[in-house]
Structures are given as C-alpha cells and as structure tokens.
Amino acid sequence: MQACLFYLFAALTLLCGVLVIANPFTRNPVTSAMFLVLTIVSLAGLFVLLHAFFLAAVQILVYAGAVMVLFLFVIMLLDLKEEERRKIKAGAGVLGLAAAGGIALLMIAVIRQSNAGVGLKPASAEGSTLDLGKRLFTDYALPFELISLVLLVAMIGTVLLSKKDLK
Amino acid sequence: MNPAMLSLELAVIGLALAVLLIDLWTLHEFKHRLGYLAAAGLLVILVASLCCASTGEPPATGFSGMFVQDGLALFFKRIFLAAGVLVVLMGVEFRDRIPMGLGEFFTIILMELAGMMFAASANDFVMVYVAMEMMSVSFYILISFQRSRSYSLEAGVKYLILSALSAGLLVFGIALIFGTSGRTNFAVVAAEGTRLAQNKLFCLGALLVLLGLAFKISAVPMQMWAPDVYQGAPTPVTAFLAIGSKAAGFVLVLRVLFVAAPALALHWGKLFTWAAALTILYGNLCAIPQRSLKRLLGYSSIANAGYILLGVAALNPPGSVAVLYYLAGYAFTLAVIFIVLCLVARDSDDIAVLAGLNRRSPLLALALTLGMISLAGIPPLAGFFGKLLLFKAVLEQAAVHRSYLWLALVAIAGVVISYYYYFGVIRAVYWSEEGPEMTPIAVSAPLKVSMGVCIAAMFYLGLCPDAVLSAAAKAVQALRF
C-alpha cells in the first residue's frame, strides 16, 4: 500500500513538474502555475509517507496556498500575450536540454554508484510539531533567530523598492 | 550557549536598528549624518574587536556547535568591519544619487555586514545557508537601490535570478550532505570524513556547495554576473560586493574544504587548479577591451578571485595564509579605487571621465594610480606581496605535483596581461587629452582621511607584512590539511 502510494505521488510530482515548464498544449503561465500547485500537493503526499506530517501541512498551507496566490497575482499583472507570442530559440532549447540531460545522467550515475541510505543512523526526531519546536528553539535557535533579521531586511527592501513617491 | 560570543554581531545589528529608528526623526537634509553615525559606530566596534574582544584562543563554539569564534573568524570580521566603515563613508558621498531612503541604505549595509560576520563564524551548513541568504537578500535591495536608473534595476534582477540559482545549488548540496552523513555540523561531518569521502553522493553534495560558494567569489563557472552587476549597482554597493562578498565567500570555501571535508579536499587539487587557471584567464582576457571602469573592475575582480583560488588550490597552510593576507590587502586597494570612482564617475563611468584627473585633483589621481599599481602587483604595495605569497605557495606544491607548475605559468601570464588594462587606466589619468569637464573636485574630510588610511595600509602591508602574516598564520590554525 505504502509503496503504491509512493509511486503514485512520485509519478505525479515528476509529471506535473514537467508540465510546469514544458506543456505541449498551452503556454499560458496560469496553467503552469496550476500544475505547480499539483506538484506541491503531490510532494506533500510524499512528506506524509515519510511521517513528516507538519511539513506536509506547511507545504500545502504556505506554498500551495500563500506563495501560489502571490504568483498568480504577479502573472495576472503582467502582459500574458507577449509571453505567448515569444518563440523559443532552437539553439537555446537544444543547449538547455543537453545541459539538463547531462546533469540528470550524472546524478543517476552517482546515485547508482553510492549505496544511498546505507550506514545512516535512524532519524533523531520524528516530524511532529513537538520535536520540531524543541529543535528550533534549542539546537537551531541561532539560525532561526537570524531568519527573522533576513525577513526584516526583505520587508524594508520591499517597502523601499515599491513605494510610490520618490522623496 | 553563550550570548557574549555574539557581542560583535549583536553590536552591528543593534547599530543597524538604531540607524533605522533614528531615521524616523531625522529631517531629510540631515539624513547623511546617519551615515557618519553608522561609520563611527562601526569604527568603535572595529577597535573593540582589535583590543577588547577575545582573541579566539582557544577557539570557542556555541549554540550547539553552530557558531565558532576562532582566529580565522576574527581575522575576517576585522576585514568586514573595516570595509563596512569605508563603504558607509562612500555612501555618504553618494547621497545625492540615492533618490530616497538614505537611512535605510545605511541600515541594509549594516545588516549585510552582520550577515558577512555570521558567515565568518559559520560552523554548520545550516548557518552557511542562513548567512548567505542574509547577504544575498541585502544585496538584492542594495543593488537596485537607484530604482530610477534602468541599469541599477537590470543589475538587481540579474543578481536576484543568478543568486537564487546558486542558492538552489547550495541547498541541494547541503541536502545531499545531510542525506549521506545525517548531520550538518562541520565537526561531526569531518569526524566521519574518510568514510564519507568514499561516498560519491557526498562528494556531489560538497561539489554543489562549492559551486554555490563560487557564485559569491565570482569564480568560473559562476562568474557571469560580475561585470553586469558591478556596472549597474550604486558604486558603494559595488565596492561592498567586491570586497565583502568575495571575502565572505572565501572564508566559507576555506571552512567547508578544510574544516568540514579535509579528507575530500586532498583529492580535489586538480579541480581547484582548473578553476583557478580558467578564472584567471577569463577575467584578464575579458578585461582588455572594456571601456567602462566598473565593468573593468568586475572582470578584474574575477581575475583576482582566480589568484586567490591559487592559495586554495595549493592545499597547504602557506596557501591559506596567502589567501588571508591577499584579501586584507585587496580590501584596502579596492576601497581606495572605489572612493575615487564615487567622486569622479558621477554621470558615466567611461574611462574618458578620468581625462585630466591629475589637474582636477592631484590627490585623487595619486590615489587611483597607487590602487591600480597595487592591483597590478608591483612592489612595494600590498598587491605585490600578496601575489608573491600565493605564487610561493603554489610553487611549493609544484615540487610534489608537476601540474602546479603550469598553474603558476598561467597565473604569471595573467598578471602580465593585467598590466595592459591597469596601466590603461593610469594612462587615462595622466596622458589623455583634456576632457570637457575640468573643474576641481572637492573631497570631503572623512573621505580624505579614509583614502589616507587605505594608502597607508597598502604601504604598510607591502613593506612590513610581518604583523598581518603572523595574525594570518594564527588564524589558519583552525584549518586542517
């Protein structure tokens, strides 16, 4: 049962991921964004299979919810017609495919040659909120607090770069 | 957990928040005084780090091994603080070209500085990522700060996209390292180093992490962004990119290689010789036809990343000492050049704006000339001695591996090529036809003092390098070879 679900979600993640960037039927960015939502949801399914329930919930709430809504707003504010008319250059496409294919082959070869997952200690924490909270406020307290500064800088920057009057 | 370890960083962050708040009650015409406040504060912190703060002996770790305060971290933090003072003073000079938010400009520079200081002390891959993000997010904003100039916006967008890509590589690498070792702490990963070095997936992870860091130091193959971004960014920000961001990238490279994965570093000599050779050639060859001064410095910064990589590629203690020494000299050299550019290249940064500079302001002409001479690596300035140390470290290795010999030859060829464009700048200052603009340039007192300090530092580092060299030698004791 678990294996079945794993293959289902993994296949969905990959398929939808491809459809985000290379949809043969339409080049509408909104469709791409919707497929990105599906990718994120099936990824959340994989997290559930790994017992990372909190991560799965956050993945759907934050990425599929908040971030995607933001994406859609931005897409709709842009001029979509121009994007649909734009032709992809053949040379760039071939080069891009070759680069991506090369990296994929390299990754596959590396994973086959290394005994992935052998000799690992069992995880020291399950994916529950209790464990996560403990970790965040003990071992990872310093990076966690630093992230708040990164957010502050990002906030100042957003206000500055989007404020209307130049005074 | 010992919060006193963070005193330098907390002081910088406190200063940033203070500037942000005081900005609220400051009238528009007095806002540049916030810059003087920030510079004075940083100067106090720098002095405190030189005399009061712990010497980093013995090295102290804290926050569950996330943060380490040792000689290496302190050496780089002092470079960052000195660079921060100079960049903030440049920012004050640059105020008429910043349309709004001068207070926030200084705040974000200070936050950026805090990010670099955390990077110098990172002892865990999670901290590496968070510190890198702190630097990147600040730079996204700083680079596009002149938002009415399309150049600045274009540079900001380019930096955003490429930096996000490199951050993606970095995180992927960290995920692979975590997946194979089960830990992210440098010391724990290093303890299992020999076993992990056999694991191909771990090697790939380390390689991706190094690629992510190569973006920060603008080394081949992640060098593409440097000229465009250097040209488009406001000049003080370009200076900070060239000095601070590069030094932060190098301290992380040293830590990842020689603290987290010393067993792996031994096998990667060839990788680094190739990276260094290609970076030197790319930077120097592409710099030849440049007419824009900031683009020229962008390519020169790529070439210098290549020279500094020589010290990393040597994989021995003298190499790392040379890296530290070179970065210290490089910081002061570039600071002088960018101060001159702030004052001279107001509307355009074409090399023609330098015409007749020796009559408009002999001080600036002299400062720029000395900076270029130091970059070119001519005695007795800091750049010469730094290059000498780097070459010496590489030649020491050449006795063991023959391949280092041709690396040294490539580097020497690069230096010879670089004479052409560095002296092209000097020629433009002294021997070009008079430009349309011949009014004398007024230099404010703080900038005069900072140029004097930088020039004095260049001579001091070049003539009596012993003090800095012994400090650098102490600092690299944190690394294992």
Side-chain angles (χ1 to χ4, degrees), chain B residues 352-374:
Chain B
V353 298
L354 295 178
L357 183 64
N358 63 330
R359 258 160 291 158
R360 293 175 72 191
S361 168
L363 171 71
L364 291 183
L366 177 74
L368 187 62
T369 309
L370 286 174
M372 287 294 162
I373 287 178
S374 175

Side-chain angles (χ1 to χ4, degrees), chain A residues 113-114 120 139 160-161 163, chain B residues 64 100 147 179 199-200 204:
Chain A
Q113 281 179 31
S114 64
L120 267 190
D139 293 354
L160 267 177
L161 294 180
K163 212 165 96 180
Chain B
S64 320
M100 60 166 205
R147 60 176 222 209
N199 192 329
K200 288 260 166 57
L204 184 68

Side-chain angles (χ1 to χ4, degrees), chain A residues 107 110-111 113-114 120-121 139-140 142-143 146 149 152-153 156-157 160-161 163-167, chain B residues 6 13 17 64 66-67 100 104 111 118 126 130 138 141 144-145 147 172 179-180 192 199-201 204:
Chain A
M107 290 289 307
V110 164
I111 291 172
Q113 281 179 31
S114 64
L120 267 190
K121 300 182 196 78
D139 293 354
Y140 292 90
L142 183 61
L146 281 187
L149 288 177
L152 175 67
V153 172
I156 298 172
L160 267 177
L161 294 180
K163 212 165 96 180
K164 202 168 176 196
D165 58 331
L166 289 169
K167 198 75 226 127
Chain B
L6 293 179
I13 293 168
L17 297 179
S64 320
M66 290 271 167
F67 187 92
M100 60 166 205
E104 285 84 354
M111 285 293 193
F118 276 111
V126 176
V130 171
S138 312
I141 300 154
S144 34
F145 220 90
R147 60 176 222 209
F172 192 27
T180 44
E192 298 186 49
N199 192 329
K200 288 260 166 57
L201 213 51
L204 184 68

Side-chain angles (χ1 to χ4, degrees), chain B residues 48-74:
Chain B
S49 84
L50 283 170
C51 44
C52 313
S54 67
T55 53
E57 292 292 334
T61 52
F63 299 93
S64 320
M66 290 271 167
F67 187 92
V68 60
Q69 185 79 301
D70 54 9
L72 187 68
L74 274 171

Side-chain angles (χ1 to χ4, degrees), chain B residues 155-217:
Chain B
V157 170
K158 275 182 182 161
Y159 190 79
L160 171 71
I161 292 173
L162 292 175
S163 173
L165 175 74
S166 77
L169 292 178
L170 182 85
V171 173
F172 192 27
I174 293 174
L176 288 180
I177 289 173
F178 181 66
T180 44
S181 67
R183 293 290 181 273
T184 52
N185 192 285
F186 286 177
V188 182
V189 172
E192 298 186 49
T194 36
R195 179 179 71 80
L196 288 171
Q198 309 291 326
N199 192 329
K200 288 260 166 57
L201 213 51
F202 178 79
C203 297
L204 184 68
L207 191 67
L208 287 173
V209 168
L210 287 176
L211 263 182
L213 296 176
F215 174 83
K216 283 270 172 244
I217 61 179

